[in-house]
């Protein structure tokens, strides 16, 4: 991933979020097959200290898919708001998704 372009998320503190690395990994793992199977757009609002500090979108509906910083360009079918720390714990398998 060192050669991959860095994602820019909306929000002043977005660059300081641990979630940025997670979205970089998501972008690297996109595939046309994934887009075909999922067929949805997800918007992630990442919070820090109770306020939204960054927003990313995973478009797994259009073209070959994309992950980008900022709000969804088309209406998201699912919007998730989660703290930066909880997202890291969730992805690491240390937090139950039903409790996040």
């Amino acid at each position: 991933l060192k050669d991959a372009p860095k994602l820019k998320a909306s929000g002043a503190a977005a660059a300081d979020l641990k979630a940025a690395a997670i979205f970089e990994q998501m972008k690297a793992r996109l595939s046309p097959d994934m887009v075909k199977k999922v067929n949805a757009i997800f918007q992630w609002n990442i919070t820090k200290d109770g306020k939204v500090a960054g927003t990313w979108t995973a478009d797994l509906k259009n073209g070959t898919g994309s992950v980008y910083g900022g709000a969804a360009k088309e209406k998201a079918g699912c919007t998730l708001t989660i703290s930066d720390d909880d997202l890291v714990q969730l992805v690491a398998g240390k937090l139950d998704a039903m409790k996040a």
Side-chain angles (χ1 to χ4, degrees):
L1 282 182
K2 62 183 172 183
D3 295 331
K6 296 294 180 200
L7 294 174
K8 293 182 180 174
S10 65
D16 297 329
L17 296 173
K18 297 175 220 164
I22 293 168
F23 291 103
E24 289 288 341
Q25 286 292 318
M26 277 187 196
K27 184 177 182 178
R29 294 171 188 237
L30 281 179
S31 71
D33 189 49
M34 183 186 303
V35 173
K36 188 175 180 180
K37 287 180 181 177
V38 176
N39 194 35
I41 299 172
F42 299 87
Q43 179 174 309
W44 299 77
N45 298 320
I46 309 301
T47 64
K48 188 148 186 137
D49 300 323
K51 297 178 183 174
V52 175
T55 301
W56 282 269
T57 299
D59 182 342
L60 303 176
K61 185 175 184 177
N62 298 298
T64 57
S66 60
V67 176
Y68 56 87
K73 296 172 186 167
E74 291 184 31
K75 187 176 186 331
C78 180
T79 300
L80 302 110
T81 300
I82 188 169
S83 76
D84 190 40
D85 289 334
D86 283 353
L87 179 62
V88 171
Q89 294 295 312
L90 184 67
V91 171
K94 296 179 181 178
L95 179 64
D96 182 343
M98 297 305 289
K99 296 178 183 177

